[in-house]
Amino acid sequence: MNAIQYVIKAVAANSSIPILQGIHIQAGADGVTFTASNTSMTIQSMIAQDGFSLTVKRKGAIVIPSRYFHDIIRKFNDDKVILEIKEPMILSIVSGHSQLRLCGMDPTEFPSIDDGEAFPSTKLRISTSLLRSTIKQLAIVASTSETSPILTGVSLECSNDCLNLIATDGVRLAYRALHLEDATHNILNAVIPAKNLYELSKILNKTDDTTEIEVSNNRVKFVTTGLKVESALIEGTFPFIKNVIPQSYLCEIAVDTACLLKAVECVTVMASEQVIRLVANADTLKLLSKTADVGDIQNEIPLLEMCGEEFVVSLNGKFFIDILRNMDCASVRLRYSGKTSPIVVLPDDSLMSTLFLITPVMTR
Amino acid sequence: MNAIQYVIKAVAANSSIPILQGIHIQAGADGVTFTASNTSMTIQSMIAQDGFSLTVKRKGAIVIPSRYFHDIIRKFNDDKVILEIKEPMILSIVSGHSQLRLCGMDPTEFPSIDDGEAFPSTKLRISTSLLRSTIKQLAIVASTSETSPILTGVSLECSNDCLNLIATDGVRLAYRALHLEDATHNILNAVIPAKNLYELSKILNKTDDTTEIEVSNNRVKFVTTGLKVESALIEGTFPFIKNVIPQSYLCEIAVDTACLLKAVECVTVMASEQVIRLVANADTLKLLSKTADVGDIQNEIPLLEMCGEEFVVSLNGKFFIDILRNMDCASVRLRYSGKTSPIVVLPDDSLMSTLFLITPVMTR
């Protein structure tokens, strides 16, 4: 059931190619692989033959309709399941007193995940839990609009022992630098669809395993214990963003993250077009919003630190919430650099490897 | 938050009458009532003034926009909340460091739940948990199609110390007789919208409280601790169903409820147009289904008892699941009375107060 639930996220449910609506099952000497694929992403989940949770009696492969397979295996819940190809292209499933026959499709017609193996590629290793939290922080900031396809991706840029990840939708920007233990000699430059990364983050184990990332010319493959995820890359050049990050600031404040998140969530409820206003005074940050004919709200949270001049800025509360929810640091720093400059949001740790920008909303 | 979540189910969110999109709040000597109403149902929830969870400082009433109120109170979660009318038609809400002002509407324009108080009515008392489980069994069987409005209701029929409830959508039928502790002298005949009863069942406390049911000419009111729910009645005459229930049978079988439910759920996954086939043999009940070009399934469960001849019947698996899921008895009896007669499903207890019918599907 786990294996099926992992791969089903890549099934092309509405594809005009019938075989992509299926799950490819392959029983081999090592165990069984389940694979699903759409034009953008392939997910493969493996159950190892350990003589206990899985035994392979005979090798074979078939592609079967994903929805029926998923629904029926779910109904069997705790019971043991026997999968067998008795007649050509028919999978027999026996569990308890249930006997099922599912019509399958030719497994040789299914796209293989290992196609790109021979291509020259760059390999990186990274902690799975770090990759997972990084993806969550970045994928939410990527654009969801297809008007600028390159911005629907997360940019990976790598040189020596540093992996830089960037996502932006034009209003927000997220940047994170990860230290690599094994320096790479290749220069890497790839843009991965954010929605594929988001699916990946949901199925990555929470264990402190490492994940191998293998980038070739037109695809990227993530490999961890029992799981392979392959994604197409987005063609094009990711915008150069170094110039967008303000290099100096007029004011910096530090606030408790949970406290700020709660306040922003509160005032955003009453915000017309999600616009909230921040007012940084001597020792408090005031948050305000209103909707005409409905009402208004204000909320105050204490500042942990402030250096520089008082400021007032309006921004999109929903966008701010997205950033704060994925912040894994007890306090955050906000930097104000003037009315038209983006607000810089930094986790308040000593690493300084993560940075968010959020562009103010101009109000009358 | 609980009080708001109860009443919000009755808010007419898309009503063209703005005041029905609101929640009526009234602070009185006894406590605070929250009321929401649509044209079909009114829900009123009360928080008693106990000096601990609620204190009324000053009496007053207002109607405020339900969505904003619900969303903002949810954000405050654990904190204490102060509601105050400082300016006319404006509700001020203070919680922690948040201050909110919500524009309200005139409370005198809100429909009152007590309008019908003066009308002659019939009163019944019934155990809340019994009412709850009865509604769940019956409401799911009622029709959802407006082509025959009377069948979207559950019929209540009462004489002496017996309350009969009936629901049917033309294919299924559910009947339950409840014993009343206080015999009533009035004859009661009312049809209540099943969807209102279903909402009621979701908010009825699970405690072993009793609920008072008060039926007048055109409405019914359910009253239990802290809660009043009023529903309109459906006009018309509920079909006479006594003739539909087979009085004799060719075969009766008894099976384990959980075992049967699991088997029906399994085979329904593979059922074309949800049609499954039951085959009762000497000591097993076989369940089968198939979908052309996809596959087939069969499942077998042991019979606990069988008397009469073997039979084969096809029926709608989804409808059968609905009935079995709300069966609160360890085993069930199925009675077969011939190819064209409905199957009778009975909880296998000594009470014989509940009965379901399900009409077979004719197959080639």
Side-chain angles (χ1 to χ4, degrees):
Chain A
M1 196 63 223
N2 277 342
I4 298 168
Q5 277 173 339
Y6 288 159
V7 304
I8 209 155
K9 296 181 197 302
V11 169
N14 303 315
S15 176
S16 55
I17 308 162
I19 203 153
L20 294 186
Q21 297 173 21
I23 292 177
H24 179 278
I25 307 177
Q26 174 129 31
D30 297 340
V32 176
T33 61
F34 297 88
T35 313
S37 185
N38 56 51
T39 46
S40 175
M41 182 166 57
T42 302
I43 303 178
Q44 184 172 86
S45 164
M46 286 141 276
I47 307 178
Q49 166 153 254
D50 57 2
F52 175 68
S53 63
L54 178 108
T55 312
V56 177
K57 303 261 187 187
R58 198 149 45 87
K59 296 178 188 177
I62 195 166
V63 176
I64 51 165
S66 59
R67 194 175 63 79
Y68 285 99
F69 188 54
H70 176 256
D71 287 354
I72 204 76
I73 295 292
R74 188 168 51 180
K75 294 295 177 200
F76 290 156
N77 42 49
D78 291 339
D79 305 339
K80 195 173 169 178
V81 172
I82 300 164
L83 306 179
E84 191 177 359
I85 304 172
K86 286 182 186 168
E87 306 155 67
M89 297 296 165
I90 288 179
L91 184 70
S92 140
I93 307 177
V94 177
S95 176
H97 292 284
S98 293
Q99 287 176 46
L100 177 75
R101 296 187 321 152
L102 268 182
C103 299
M105 287 166 278
D106 186 355
T108 61
E109 287 176 17
F110 201 80
S112 161
I113 201 167
D114 293 317
D115 277 347
E117 207 80 281
F119 286 84
S121 62
T122 306
K123 285 188 188 180
L124 313 170
R125 293 186 72 79
I126 196 167
S127 139
T128 303
S129 63
L130 186 62
L131 179 63
R132 203 163 165 270
S133 67
T134 303
I135 290 174
K136 292 209 164 179
Q137 288 181 327
L138 276 92
I140 196 134
V141 168
S143 171
T144 51
S145 154
E146 286 296 331
T147 50
S148 179
I150 195 84
L151 296 186
T152 63
V154 173
S155 160
L156 268 72
E157 198 185 72
C158 176
S159 52
N160 298 319
D161 59 352
C162 188
L163 177 66
N164 296 310
L165 296 105
I166 306 159
T168 180
D169 62 358
V171 175
R172 291 173 290 179
L173 180 144
Y175 164 83
R176 186 153 181 181
L178 301 176
H179 173 77
L180 298 172
E181 284 172 31
D182 317 320
T184 170
H185 298 294
N186 298 322
I187 287 172
L188 175 72
N189 228 317
V191 181
I192 307 172
K195 68 174 194 299
N196 292 354
L197 284 176
Y198 184 68
E199 292 300 341
L200 172 70
S201 76
K202 286 197 286 185
I203 60 178
L204 277 177
N205 292 320
K206 285 176 197 178
T207 56
D208 211 353
D209 238 331
T210 58
T211 299
E212 190 176 84
I213 309 178
E214 192 183 326
V215 185
S216 70
N217 210 17
N218 60 355
R219 65 186 71 196
V220 56
K221 197 156 78 184
F222 298 86
V223 182
T224 183
T225 316
L227 195 69
K228 284 185 193 172
V229 176
E230 194 178 76
S231 168
L233 298 179
I234 301 176
E235 283 183 48
T237 310
F238 205 79
F240 183 72
I241 57 102
K242 280 272 159 69
N243 300 342
V244 183
I245 303 172
Q247 295 305 308
S248 62
Y249 51 89
L250 301 170
C251 180
E252 183 183 73
I253 58 172
V255 285
D256 179 86
T257 311
C259 202
L260 178 60
L261 174 59
K262 195 183 164 186
V264 175
E265 285 180 337
C266 254
V267 298
T268 302
V269 169
M270 291 297 297
S272 172
E273 292 175 356
Q274 305 180 329
V275 176
I276 65 170
R277 174 166 288 223
L278 309 186
V279 181
N281 283 333
D283 50 6
T284 58
L285 179 67
K286 203 179 266 185
L287 297 99
L288 308 112
S289 83
K290 63 180 175 202
T291 293
D293 302 330
V294 176
D296 55 52
I297 186 168
Q298 57 170 296
N299 199 308
E300 244 177 56
I301 58 172
L303 293 181
L304 303 176
E305 260 180 61
M306 172 161 184
C307 85
E309 58 191 53
E310 301 185 346
F311 67 88
V312 178
V313 70
S314 295
L315 46 79
N316 183 306
K318 166 78 176 55
F319 288 177
F320 202 18
I321 291 170
D322 286 344
I323 290 170
L324 293 172
R325 275 199 188 143
N326 291 296
M327 196 70 81
D328 39 16
C329 204
S331 62
V332 290
R333 293 183 173 272
L334 306 185
R335 286 183 182 164
Y336 174 77
S337 321
K339 276 187 181 176
T340 55
S341 294
I343 297 288
V344 179
V345 185
L346 298 164
D348 193 12
D349 54 25
S350 55
L351 305 169
M352 288 303 192
S353 60
T354 309
L355 174 149
F356 299 92
L357 294 185
I358 182 162
T359 308
V361 177
M362 292 301 139
T363 54
R364 281 145 292 173
Chain B
M1 195 62 223
N2 277 342
I4 297 167
Q5 279 173 338
Y6 288 160
V7 303
I8 209 155
K9 296 182 197 303
V11 169
N14 303 315
S15 175
S16 56
I17 309 162
I19 204 154
L20 294 186
Q21 297 172 23
I23 292 177
H24 179 279
I25 307 176
Q26 174 129 32
D30 297 340
V32 176
T33 61
F34 298 88
T35 312
S37 185
N38 55 50
T39 46
S40 174
M41 181 166 58
T42 302
I43 302 179
Q44 184 172 87
S45 164
M46 286 140 276
I47 307 178
Q49 166 153 252
D50 56 2
F52 176 67
S53 62
L54 179 110
T55 313
V56 177
K57 302 259 184 186
R58 199 150 44 89
K59 296 178 189 179
I62 195 166
V63 176
I64 53 164
S66 59
R67 193 176 64 78
Y68 286 98
F69 187 54
H70 176 257
D71 288 354
I72 203 77
I73 295 291
R74 188 168 53 181
K75 294 295 178 201
F76 291 156
N77 41 49
D78 291 340
D79 305 338
K80 194 173 169 177
V81 172
I82 301 164
L83 307 180
E84 190 177 359
I85 302 171
K86 286 181 187 169
E87 306 154 70
M89 297 295 165
I90 288 179
L91 183 71
S92 139
I93 306 176
V94 176
S95 176
H97 292 283
S98 293
Q99 286 175 47
L100 176 77
R101 296 189 319 154
L102 267 181
C103 299
M105 288 166 278
D106 186 354
T108 60
E109 287 176 19
F110 202 81
S112 161
I113 200 166
D114 293 317
D115 277 346
E117 206 80 282
F119 287 83
S121 61
T122 307
K123 284 188 188 180
L124 313 171
R125 290 187 74 80
I126 194 166
S127 139
T128 302
S129 63
L130 185 63
L131 179 62
R132 204 164 164 269
S133 67
T134 303
I135 290 174
K136 292 208 164 179
Q137 289 181 327
L138 276 92
I140 196 135
V141 167
S143 172
T144 52
S145 154
E146 285 297 332
T147 50
S148 179
I150 195 85
L151 295 187
T152 64
V154 173
S155 160
L156 267 73
E157 200 184 72
C158 177
S159 53
N160 297 319
D161 59 353
C162 187
L163 176 65
N164 297 309
L165 296 106
I166 306 159
T168 180
D169 62 0
V171 176
R172 291 174 288 180
L173 181 145
Y175 164 83
R176 186 154 179 178
L178 300 175
H179 174 77
L180 298 172
E181 283 171 31
D182 318 319
T184 169
H185 299 294
N186 296 325
I187 287 171
L188 173 72
N189 228 318
V191 181
I192 307 171
K195 66 174 197 297
N196 292 355
L197 284 176
Y198 184 68
E199 292 300 339
L200 172 70
S201 76
K202 287 196 288 187
I203 60 178
L204 277 178
N205 291 319
K206 286 175 195 178
T207 55
D208 212 350
D209 237 331
T210 57
T211 298
E212 191 176 83
I213 308 177
E214 193 183 325
V215 185
S216 71
N217 210 19
N218 59 354
R219 65 186 71 196
V220 56
K221 196 156 79 184
F222 297 86
V223 182
T224 183
T225 317
L227 194 69
K228 284 186 193 173
V229 175
E230 193 178 76
S231 168
L233 299 180
I234 302 177
E235 283 182 48
T237 310
F238 205 78
F240 184 72
I241 58 102
K242 280 273 159 68
N243 300 342
V244 182
I245 303 172
Q247 295 305 306
S248 63
Y249 51 89
L250 301 170
C251 180
E252 183 183 74
I253 59 172
V255 285
D256 179 86
T257 311
C259 202
L260 178 61
L261 174 58
K262 196 183 163 187
V264 175
E265 285 180 337
C266 254
V267 299
T268 302
V269 170
M270 292 296 297
S272 171
E273 291 176 354
Q274 303 179 332
V275 177
I276 66 169
R277 174 167 286 222
L278 309 186
V279 181
N281 284 332
D283 51 5
T284 60
L285 179 66
K286 201 178 267 184
L287 298 99
L288 308 110
S289 83
K290 63 181 174 201
T291 294
D293 301 330
V294 177
D296 54 52
I297 186 167
Q298 56 171 296
N299 200 309
E300 243 177 57
I301 58 171
L303 294 181
L304 303 177
E305 260 181 61
M306 172 161 184
C307 86
E309 59 191 53
E310 300 184 347
F311 69 87
V312 177
V313 70
S314 295
L315 46 80
N316 183 307
K318 166 79 175 55
F319 287 178
F320 202 16
I321 291 170
D322 285 345
I323 291 170
L324 292 173
R325 274 198 189 142
N326 291 297
M327 195 72 80
D328 39 15
C329 203
S331 62
V332 289
R333 293 181 173 273
L334 306 185
R335 286 181 182 166
Y336 174 78
S337 321
K339 276 186 180 176
T340 54
S341 294
I343 297 287
V344 179
V345 185
L346 300 164
D348 193 13
D349 53 26
S350 54
L351 305 171
M352 289 303 195
S353 60
T354 309
L355 173 147
F356 299 93
L357 295 186
I358 180 161
T359 308
V361 177
M362 292 302 141
T363 54
R364 279 145 294 172

